């Protein structure tokens, strides 16, 4: 917002306000970036916290909870779990004992065993060479030794939290009635109407009949002497006027439409001669209506939020397929760098836009994590279900052999996204 001198203030005083605002701009910019990073970090933390909480709830042993990836720059141990912060801000992870059966096999010196799993090393009963042998209690609590339903619950808890975040943010925006947020949601899926036209004048179109008669901010309270109940009623009254002959582009109505407006606390009656617009197929006076968020009850807001989520989910899945086959679509992919830049722009634009974007990213994070390739969450769910159906454990080699194609494709898109962001940042 550009500061201006207020009436009654000296030019020097106004200039001081301008200089003060310009001095604060770097601070505001820094704050907006901090909020952006904190928002994205919160999504990562809450995703991993979902895995962590579910694992603890079903009795699994959690070795590490890490924000970001190694190298580790901070760590602290609380009980059996180590909490860490990594140097590479590309996500986070929860390390649960025995994510694969191979982790529970083999032998190693005591020192190494203690370094890997404190309290897990034991000496053989015959007093021989120290060996690495997991404590039976740790083995029992290992991920791979849990029932498939427990594993599925733990894995789905991460994306489940992201889905819940997206739903709550979309639902709250619609329920509260934030115009910026409603506009952002309607841009995601135009078929779900989240805004409604008001009887106020948002903008007057240059060169049109209303130019010089109506002003932005006018509120139309009556048309042709009747109360203006909404934008549709005003359009209907304007459309009732006709030109002298055949309707041609720009022809002027024989009679003016009488508008009663509120302007700066005063009530005015204005006359405007509508003109025919061939593109619109009706008579117009030439102004844009203002907008307001559509009113939603709690259940209606929930239904609209779910519709938004379903649309984004289907678009993400089809977009993934198109990106693999179309160079044009691949140009639209962004990495975490581009996502952070976009998120920053929405933070600057306003809270409504920022919250919708945060919900959007949370939903995308959930959808991509549910793709059925290891090491994504969907891959773990797929193989847990397969094990239940098959009745016996599936080897890790077979799992990764099946997932290798998907992993390569995902890495290809990640590298492509980073390349796109480098190109954008480089101009």
């Amino acid at each position: 917002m550009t500061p201006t001198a207020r009436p009654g203030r000296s030019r020097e005083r106004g200039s001081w306000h301008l200089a003060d605002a310009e001095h604060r701009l770097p601070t505001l910019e820094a704050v907006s970036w901090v909020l952006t990073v904190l928002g994205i970090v919160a999504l990562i933390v809450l995703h991993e916290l979902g895995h962590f909480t579910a694992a603890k709830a079903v009795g699994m042993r959690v070795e590490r909870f890490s924000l970001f990836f190694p190298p580790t720059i901070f760590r602290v141990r609380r009980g059996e779990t180590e909490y860490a912060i990594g140097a590479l801000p590309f996500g986070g992870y929860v390390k649960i004992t025995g994510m694969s059966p191979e982790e529970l096999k083999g032998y190693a010196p005591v020192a190494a065993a203690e370094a890997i799993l404190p309290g897990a090393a034991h000496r053989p009963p015959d007093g021989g060479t120290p060996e690495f042998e997991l404590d039976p209690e740790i083995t029992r609590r290992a991920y791979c030794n849990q029932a498939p339903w427990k594993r599925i619950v733990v894995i789905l808890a991460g994306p489940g939290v992201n889905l819940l975040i997206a739903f709550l943010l979309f639902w709250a925006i619609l329920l509260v009635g934030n115009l910026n947020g409603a506009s952002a949601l309607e841009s995601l899926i135009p078929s779900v109407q989240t805004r409604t036209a008001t009887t106020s004048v948002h903008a007057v179109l240059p060169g049109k009949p209303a130019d010089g008669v109506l002003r932005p901010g006018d509120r139309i309270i009556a048309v042709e002497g009747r109360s203006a109940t909404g934008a549709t009623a005003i359009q209907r009254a304007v459309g009732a006027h006709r030109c002298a002959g055949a309707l041609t582009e720009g022809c002027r109505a024989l009679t003016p439409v009488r508008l009663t407006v509120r302007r700066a606390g005063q009530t005015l009656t204005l006359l405007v001669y509508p003109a025919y617009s061939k593109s619109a197929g009706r008579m117009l006076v030439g102004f844009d209506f203002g907008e307001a968020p559509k009113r939603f009850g709690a259940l209606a807001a929930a239904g609209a939020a779910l519709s938004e989520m379903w649309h984004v989910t289907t678009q993400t899945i089809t977009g993934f397929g198109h990106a693999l086959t179309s160079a044009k679509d691949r140009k639209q992919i962004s990495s975490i760098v581009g996502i952070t830049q976009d998120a920053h722009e929405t933070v600057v634009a306003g809270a409504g836009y920022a919250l919708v974007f945060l919900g959007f990213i949370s939903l995308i994070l959930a959808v991509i994590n549910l793709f059925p390739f290891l090491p994504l969450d969907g891959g773990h769910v797929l193989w847990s279900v397969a094990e239940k159906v098959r009745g016996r454990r599936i080897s890790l080699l077979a799992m990764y052999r099946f997932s290798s194609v998907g992993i390569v494709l995902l890495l290809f898109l990640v590298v492509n996204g980073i390349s796109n962001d480098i190109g954008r940042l480089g101009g």
Side-chain angles (χ1 to χ4, degrees):
M1 183 171 66
T2 303
T4 56
R6 296 179 182 178
R9 300 289 182 106
S10 68
R11 180 181 298 273
E12 288 74 15
R13 182 67 171 173
S15 299
W16 180 85
H17 278 301
L18 180 60
D20 182 57
E22 289 176 345
H23 176 72
R24 293 183 183 185
L25 281 178
T27 301
L28 295 175
E29 179 76 6
V31 169
S32 66
W33 274 111
V34 169
L35 292 175
T36 299
V37 173
L38 286 177
I40 294 176
V41 167
L43 293 181
I44 297 171
V45 170
L46 291 172
H47 175 96
E48 298 304 331
L49 190 60
H51 291 310
F52 175 85
T53 304
K56 290 285 190 180
V58 298
M60 294 184 189
R61 184 178 190 274
V62 180
E63 297 176 26
R64 173 179 286 193
F65 181 99
S66 178
L67 174 63
F68 304 148
F69 290 114
T72 301
I73 58 177
F74 172 81
R75 70 181 71 194
V76 61
R77 180 171 292 278
R78 292 289 182 269
E80 65 186 15
T81 305
E82 178 184 85
Y83 300 87
I85 299 176
L88 303 179
F90 300 127
Y93 67 94
V94 172
K95 177 67 172 68
I96 303 173
T97 300
M99 285 296 291
S100 70
E102 280 72 10
E103 291 181 32
L104 306 180
K105 295 178 181 179
Y107 296 89
V110 173
E114 290 291 340
I116 298 170
L117 290 174
H122 296 270
R123 288 182 178 273
D126 60 4
T129 303
E131 295 176 334
F132 174 42
E133 190 177 85
L134 285 176
D135 186 293
E137 177 63 13
I138 294 178
T139 303
R140 184 188 67 80
R141 295 174 60 200
Y143 173 88
C144 61
N145 290 330
Q146 302 300 306
W149 73 265
K150 288 187 178 181
R151 283 179 266 159
I152 292 172
V153 166
V154 170
I155 295 302
L156 289 182
V161 167
N162 290 124
L163 291 173
L164 180 62
I165 291 170
F167 172 78
L168 290 177
L169 288 176
F170 291 172
W171 177 78
I173 286 290
L174 294 172
L175 188 65
V176 171
N178 179 278
L179 181 57
N180 287 342
S183 299
L185 285 172
E186 192 165 312
S187 69
L188 286 178
I189 170 171
S191 61
V192 177
Q193 185 181 1
T194 61
R195 297 172 294 175
T196 183
T198 68
T199 60
S200 64
V201 176
H202 174 67
V204 179
L205 304 181
K208 298 299 181 181
D211 192 10
V213 182
L214 293 175
R215 297 179 186 175
D218 287 349
R219 183 168 62 89
I220 302 173
I221 59 176
V223 56
E224 305 293 20
R226 301 186 190 90
S227 179
T229 56
T232 302
I234 297 172
Q235 291 173 335
R236 190 181 301 115
V238 170
H241 292 260
R242 286 290 180 266
C243 299
L247 294 175
T248 57
E249 178 67 29
C251 71
R252 179 179 169 177
L254 285 172
T255 56
V257 60
R258 184 159 52 99
L259 303 173
T260 305
V261 304
R262 289 286 294 175
R263 177 188 297 171
Q266 295 182 321
T267 301
L268 306 174
T269 298
L270 307 173
L271 299 179
V272 186
Y273 286 86
Y276 181 73
S277 169
K278 187 175 181 180
S279 60
R282 55 189 173 88
M283 304 295 286
L284 300 175
V285 294
F287 72 91
D288 293 331
F289 287 102
E291 293 180 332
K294 182 179 177 181
R295 293 183 179 277
F296 286 90
L299 290 179
L306 290 174
S307 295
E308 297 279 356
M309 293 175 66
W310 176 251
H311 176 80
V312 172
T313 299
T314 55
Q315 288 294 103
T316 301
I317 294 172
T318 56
F320 177 79
H322 293 158
L324 294 175
T325 57
S326 169
K328 181 179 179 181
D329 287 337
R330 283 197 294 275
K331 289 292 184 183
Q332 307 304 316
I333 297 175
S334 292
S335 69
I336 186 64
V337 177
I339 291 172
T340 304
Q341 178 67 43
D342 291 340
H344 174 253
E345 292 174 2
T346 64
V347 169
V348 173
Y353 289 116
L355 291 176
V356 169
F357 188 80
L358 198 64
F360 173 77
I361 294 302
S362 186
L363 180 54
I364 296 298
L365 182 62
V367 173
I368 292 179
N369 262 289
L370 288 174
F371 284 175
F373 314 120
L374 289 174
L376 298 178
D377 293 337
H380 289 287
V381 171
L382 173 67
W383 292 111
S384 293
V385 172
E387 179 181 320
K388 179 66 176 177
V389 172
R390 191 170 181 237
R392 65 179 186 273
R393 184 166 288 159
I394 300 171
S395 72
L396 191 63
L397 180 61
M399 296 181 193
Y400 275 100
R401 185 180 297 143
F402 176 86
S403 299
S404 60
V405 175
I407 294 171
V408 169
L409 294 178
L410 285 173
L411 287 175
F412 168 70
L413 293 180
V414 168
V415 172
N416 191 85
I418 294 173
S419 175
N420 290 340
D421 289 335
I422 291 174
R424 294 185 191 109
L425 293 174

